[in-house]
């Protein structure tokens, strides 16, 4: 079967009537940024599903605009995921929807730029209008609740909010949580039974204990705020690049719909400046996350260092510097989640080394904006070849030349399928 058909089949199989699960059994509910990427893939062959995907996702939006990272549709039917809906206990907040259970943390806000793509496909204007309002409300929440010191940059409060769960970026912060002082956190992990070699490809129990410690703290505050000394407060360049990209889309859509969003415009302009002053490192010539508690950058070379390219934030000179970094390392062109010379790098372990399709898709898109067509095309081809050769996996070995198994994690992974469809269907420039 050709790759396009194979990817379409994955999206078909994971479609649940009004939303798409990321992967069977391993992730049996609706995930926030996954749904955005899936909507982009569906636009190429089932465009109606793209808008339904977002509408269903926003059925989980809270009254204050917050958009959870998991919406537990039909939670009684699926028990193959931990932490479960009951663990999150979103009902603890009066702001959470009554009809459906959700988590209490969010994920990178991809929905604005996805909506713009849907809009370009001429899908029902009143439905676009509705979604537009909901996404604006979500961005307002982010700036009103998460903005750091009027910088136009927002904080994430959990490593799961980054979407790059066990990235080496978060190691030091998580290690500050003294687990010997934790009361016994019970783990009912399910993920480890759903993937091969889980001891090498998924986070450890100890990691999960720390993740749940943070969840407990957040739950204690009904997920609405954090104390000043709450340990995980980070200005993540990936999350913030995506936020700014989505803002720009909302501003453009708003102009056509006759709905101006000056608040988002101002925040976006301020945020772009703060990328230079807070997240750019002038010595290493990379973007890094900023840890609010220690007031310092997290200086580790990861795929996220390049995310601002997606949003057109760096100057052309900065992009050239950025590109030089990863090309020095990798003749396969694709960007690994962590570079092999970094402390904590692990070849097979999730966000600690493997190649992920969504981040490479973002860089591909970004390079096109900078008219770096040749490199962009190399990324597109390498990404397509990788999936063609090894399958529609969740993540891939960064040493592509190894003979052994190269795709890891969930099989039939939706965003891999969706973004490959998008790459296959995009005209070569
Ligand atoms: C992974 O994260 C979830 C928690 O949200 C997990 O490990 O259980 C991440 O790769 C995240 O980015 C992704 O959205 C999610 C579903 O694909 O899986």
């Amino acid at each position: 079967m050709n790759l396009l058909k194979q990817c379409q089949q994955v999206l078909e199989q994971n479609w649940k009537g009004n939303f798409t699960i990321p992967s069977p059994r391993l992730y049996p509910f609706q995930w926030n940024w996954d749904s955005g990427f899936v909507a982009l893939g569906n636009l190429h062959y089932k465009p109606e599903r793209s808008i339904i995907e977002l509408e269903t996702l926003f059925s989980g939006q809270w009254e204050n605009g917050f958009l959870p990272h998991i919406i537990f549709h039909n939670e009684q039917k699926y028990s193959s995921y931990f932490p479960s809906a009951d663990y999150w206990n979103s009902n603890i907040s009066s702001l959470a929807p009554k009809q459906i259970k959700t988590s209490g943390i969010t994920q990178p806000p991809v929905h604005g730029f996805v909506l713009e793509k849907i809009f370009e496909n001429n899908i029902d204007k009143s439905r676009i209008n509705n979604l537009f309002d909901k996404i604006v409300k979500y961005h307002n929440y982010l700036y009103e609740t998460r903005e750091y010191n009027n910088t136009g940059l927002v904080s994430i409060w959990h490593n799961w909010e980054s979407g790059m769960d066990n990235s080496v970026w978060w190691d030091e912060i998580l290690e500050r949580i003294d687990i010997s002082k934790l009361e016994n956190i019970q783990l009912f992990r399910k993920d480890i039974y759903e993937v091969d070699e889980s001891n090498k490809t998924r986070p450890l129990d100890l990691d999960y204990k720390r993740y749940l410690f943070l969840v407990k703290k957040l739950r204690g505050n009904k997920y609405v705020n954090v104390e000043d000394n709450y340990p995980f407060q980070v200005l993540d360049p990936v999350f913030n690049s995506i936020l700014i990209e989505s803002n720009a889309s909302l501003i453009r859509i708003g102009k056509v719909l006759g709905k101006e969003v000056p608040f988002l415009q101002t925040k976006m302009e301020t945020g772009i400046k703060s990328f230079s002053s807070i997240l750019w490192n002038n010595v290493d010539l990379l973007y890094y996350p900023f840890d609010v508690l220690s007031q310092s950058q997290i200086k580790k070379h990861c795929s996220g260092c390049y995310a601002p390219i997606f949003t057109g934030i760096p100057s052309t000179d900065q992009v050239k510097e950025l590109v030089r970094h990863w090309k020095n390392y990798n003749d396969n062109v694709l960007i690994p989640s962590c570079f092999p010379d970094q402390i904590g790098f692990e070849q097979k372990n999730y966000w600690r080394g493997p190649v992920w399709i969504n981040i490479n898709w973002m860089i591909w898109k970004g390079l096109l904006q900078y008219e770096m067509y040749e490199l962009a095309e190399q990324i597109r081809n390498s990404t397509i070849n990788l999936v063609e050769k090894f399958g529609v996996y969740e993540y891939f070995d960064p040493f592509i030349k190894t003979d052994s198994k190269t795709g890891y994690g969930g099989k039939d992974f939706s965003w891999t399928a969706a973004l490959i469809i998008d790459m296959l269907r995009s005209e070569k420039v």
Side-chain angles (χ1 to χ4, degrees):
M1 197 190 317
N2 76 26
L3 183 61
L4 184 68
K5 281 243 155 59
Q6 213 182 318
C7 290
Q8 286 175 349
Q9 211 172 65
V10 168
L11 291 188
E12 282 300 326
Q13 173 200 309
N14 293 347
W15 173 248
K16 295 289 163 199
N18 57 355
F19 72 97
T20 309
I21 55 167
S23 177
R25 291 194 58 84
L26 181 61
Y27 306 118
F29 304 108
Q30 186 174 27
W31 258 259
N32 180 323
W33 73 331
D34 298 60
S35 277
F37 293 127
V38 164
L40 292 176
N42 274 336
L43 266 181
H44 293 285
Y45 82 114
K46 294 240 164 118
E48 173 64 13
R49 282 192 186 171
S50 305
I51 192 153
I52 296 175
E53 183 84 45
L54 290 194
E55 287 168 343
T56 310
L57 180 69
F58 276 85
S59 69
Q61 185 169 32
W62 291 24
E63 259 172 50
N64 57 348
F66 166 79
L67 187 67
H69 93 303
I70 306 176
I71 319 294
F72 290 97
H73 304 289
N74 305 317
E75 42 105 19
Q76 313 84 338
K77 261 171 71 185
Y78 301 99
S79 56
S80 61
Y81 187 76
F82 174 78
S84 63
D86 286 346
Y87 194 97
W88 286 100
N89 191 19
S90 53
N91 294 340
I92 200 169
S93 167
S94 59
L95 301 170
K98 307 283 173 283
Q99 313 304 340
I100 192 153
K101 295 181 180 172
T102 76
S103 70
I105 58 169
T106 190
Q107 261 189 340
V110 295
H111 325 89
F113 68 76
V114 174
L115 187 71
E116 189 173 24
K117 284 282 161 217
I118 298 178
F119 192 41
E120 286 165 8
N121 273 260
N122 287 325
I123 294 176
D124 189 338
K125 210 163 158 200
S126 72
R127 289 166 76 186
I128 298 277
N129 242 301
N130 261 329
L131 274 170
F132 175 88
D133 292 344
K134 292 179 177 169
I135 301 173
V136 169
K137 192 170 170 193
Y138 173 41
H139 284 213
N140 287 343
Y141 156 83
L142 288 171
Y143 287 117
E144 281 157 8
T145 314
R146 307 287 192 104
E147 187 182 11
Y148 171 64
N149 282 353
N150 293 316
T151 56
L153 299 176
V154 302
S155 287
I156 54 169
W157 291 345
H158 197 289
N159 50 304
W160 278 332
E161 291 202 317
S162 73
M164 305 175 297
D165 303 0
N166 68 343
S167 166
V168 299
W169 272 355
W170 319 134
D171 285 359
E172 272 180 38
I173 297 180
L174 292 169
E175 277 159 18
R176 272 185 229 144
I177 300 169
D178 182 353
I179 59 122
S180 67
K181 298 214 176 82
L182 295 185
E183 56 195 84
N184 193 20
I185 292 186
Q186 272 201 302
L187 295 176
F188 301 97
R189 288 186 67 180
K190 310 279 172 74
D191 55 316
I192 47 179
Y193 306 108
E194 302 297 339
V195 298
D196 297 335
E197 289 188 275
S198 69
N199 58 334
K200 295 203 181 98
T201 63
R202 295 279 311 178
L204 304 172
D205 278 1
L206 183 58
D207 300 323
Y208 260 71
K209 288 192 173 164
R210 293 187 161 112
Y211 305 167
L212 295 178
F213 168 82
L214 295 177
V215 170
K216 197 176 161 205
K217 286 230 169 253
L218 293 168
R219 198 175 48 207
N221 284 356
K222 301 189 177 165
Y223 302 111
V224 291
N225 57 5
V226 294
E227 271 96 43
D228 285 349
N229 65 353
Y230 173 76
F232 200 105
Q233 299 179 62
V234 175
L235 311 179
D236 169 20
V238 180
F239 194 103
N240 279 284
S241 295
I242 288 176
L243 174 61
I244 289 178
E245 181 71 9
S246 279
N247 266 339
S249 289
L250 290 175
I251 290 163
R252 284 190 292 269
I253 303 171
K255 287 211 167 98
V256 183
L257 298 180
K259 292 179 160 177
E260 301 283 321
V261 277
F263 176 66
L264 298 186
Q265 173 90 41
T266 311
K267 292 296 172 198
M268 180 175 88
E269 285 161 13
T270 317
I272 291 172
K273 287 190 198 124
S274 299
F275 261 82
S276 303
S277 55
I278 301 178
L279 304 182
W280 176 253
N281 185 298
N282 229 344
V283 177
D284 295 353
L285 306 178
L286 287 169
Y287 290 97
Y288 290 129
F290 183 80
D291 171 16
V292 171
L293 243 66
S294 70
Q295 289 286 298
S296 60
Q297 290 182 335
I298 303 170
K299 295 183 196 156
K300 289 193 178 161
H301 189 192
C302 296
S303 54
C305 297
Y306 302 93
I309 296 176
F310 174 60
T311 310
I313 291 173
S315 66
T316 311
D317 284 344
Q318 282 173 310
V319 174
K320 285 188 185 140
E321 290 300 342
L322 287 163
V323 166
R324 222 192 320 270
H325 276 293
W326 97 71
K327 286 195 72 180
N328 278 347
Y329 141 79
N330 191 352
D331 55 0
N332 290 312
V333 184
L334 293 178
I335 306 181
S337 47
C338 174
F339 283 72
D341 59 352
Q342 300 296 290
I343 293 173
F345 166 84
E346 287 178 60
Q347 185 178 343
K348 299 181 180 185
N349 194 343
Y350 216 31
W351 290 92
R352 302 178 72 81
V355 165
W356 286 77
I357 302 307
N358 60 340
I359 304 289
N360 280 280
W361 176 89
M362 282 170 60
I363 306 304
W364 164 63
K365 282 280 179 203
L367 290 172
L368 290 174
Q369 289 180 58
Y370 286 90
E371 301 183 356
M372 296 175 78
Y373 299 124
E374 203 184 320
L375 184 57
E377 190 54 18
Q378 283 172 11
I379 293 193
R380 186 174 83 112
N381 281 332
S382 304
T383 311
I384 292 171
N385 291 341
L386 185 68
V387 178
E388 185 148 49
K389 194 158 171 208
F390 299 107
V392 190
Y393 274 93
E394 189 180 3
Y395 43 102
F396 298 86
D397 201 295
F399 302 125
I400 292 161
K401 287 179 193 132
T402 49
D403 303 326
S404 55
K405 184 173 173 329
T406 296
Y408 305 125
K411 298 184 187 86
D412 298 336
F413 190 66
S414 294
W415 88 40
T416 300
L419 298 177
I420 291 294
I421 293 175
D422 189 58
M423 285 179 148
L424 285 167
R425 283 299 181 87
S426 298
E427 295 285 312
K428 185 176 164 194
V429 191

